Amino acid sequence: MMSTLPEYADRLRAIIESPAYRLAYEDGDLLAQDDLRPLRLQLELLKPERVLREQGVRSTVVVFGSARVSDAVTARDRLAVLEQQAGTMPGNPTFGRDLTLARRRVEQARYYEEAQRFAQLISARFQQEGRCDFVVITGGGPGIMEAANRGSFGSVFHDVKRTGLTGPLAIVRSPRRVGEWLVHLRHHSFKQSNVDRLFRVESRRWLDHAA
């Protein structure tokens, strides 16, 4: 029996809307399956490589480290506030831990300053006369990542390039608005060795001395 026009339209719609009808690269449910993880990882490597090539980036320096380290002024201000409150909270174990941690953050602030200065030095040295070498690449979070961002942005050269990574961790979820970036790249977490291969790393500065 011949199908009526409405029945034919319904069957055609069912075919087109069926997951099996999707092109493989347009099928998000397919790409999300566990056994296709190697393919997703390959795409994680391929996309940033193409983006950096389009931007003329020839080499990078990855700067990562603790997201809890702050600059010296912020650390000292936090400690000063707690020390003023110390007399009102005798024997409070939680306050004691906070005070100890604040003092440690003051000591660790030098790592923030070092990361900032390092990023500024290499950006000023290797991005002159149209060069795009040793581009600072770091995460989108606070701490050492923020310091590297500020250092490269604070270079004497206004066209210094930086690349930001935004991962799934809550602590580095949003790109810091310290300066303009060359490009933001969102990715899933994977090993640092893969990051090195991914971003044409000539050198890696790992500043993770802080707890």
Side-chain angles (χ1 to χ4, degrees):
M1 179 181 297
M2 294 290 293
S3 300
T4 64
L5 188 59
E7 290 176 342
Y8 176 80
D10 290 342
R11 291 181 181 180
L12 180 60
R13 186 182 305 108
I15 291 172
I16 294 175
E17 294 177 354
S18 170
Y21 189 76
R22 302 172 191 162
L23 291 170
Y25 63 85
E26 295 179 344
D27 192 341
D29 294 332
L30 172 67
L31 294 175
Q33 294 181 12
D34 287 344
D35 57 344
L36 289 183
R37 183 176 293 120
L39 178 59
R40 294 197 300 273
L41 288 174
Q42 184 178 6
L43 291 173
E44 292 266 2
L45 297 173
L46 178 61
K47 181 179 179 180
E49 173 67 20
R50 294 179 67 89
V51 171
L52 294 183
R53 188 186 307 128
E54 291 169 358
Q55 296 290 339
V57 176
R58 300 195 303 178
S59 59
T60 64
V61 175
V62 174
V63 182
F64 274 96
S66 175
R68 298 176 178 85
V69 175
S70 62
D71 62 275
V73 173
T74 301
R76 286 195 296 265
D77 288 348
R78 171 62 175 166
L79 177 59
V81 170
L82 292 177
E83 286 179 338
Q84 289 177 356
Q85 299 173 351
T88 63
M89 299 185 181
N92 187 319
T94 301
F95 180 81
R97 288 193 296 268
D98 291 343
L99 187 59
T100 300
L101 180 59
R103 288 169 176 159
R104 186 185 308 162
R105 294 292 179 242
V106 171
E107 297 175 359
Q108 293 169 341
R110 66 182 185 274
Y111 299 123
Y112 185 104
E113 312 299 336
E114 181 181 349
Q116 185 173 350
R117 182 170 178 271
F118 172 76
Q120 184 174 10
L121 286 173
I122 60 172
S123 297
R125 172 64 179 84
F126 294 104
Q127 295 192 43
Q128 303 181 45
E129 300 177 354
R131 291 179 62 184
C132 200
D133 293 311
F134 296 99
V135 173
V136 171
I137 182 168
T138 187
I144 296 300
M145 294 168 280
E146 177 186 291
N149 179 8
R150 294 180 64 180
S152 54
F153 183 70
S155 171
V156 294
F157 297 95
H158 297 294
D159 60 348
V160 161
K161 294 176 170 55
R162 301 161 302 284
T163 300
L165 292 174
T166 303
L169 299 178
I171 199 167
V172 294
R173 185 171 51 198
S174 299
R176 303 286 288 184
R177 296 184 179 276
V178 175
E180 292 298 324
W181 292 79
L182 171 65
V183 63
H184 285 110
L185 299 169
R186 184 168 177 257
H187 70 98
H188 286 283
S189 295
F190 49 95
K191 290 183 178 180
Q192 182 64 32
S193 58
N194 289 337
V195 174
D196 286 352
R197 290 194 296 270
L198 170 58
F199 295 113
R200 308 165 182 229
V201 174
E202 298 288 344
S203 174
R204 183 177 70 202
R205 187 74 166 177
W206 191 271
L207 298 169
D208 201 6
H209 304 280

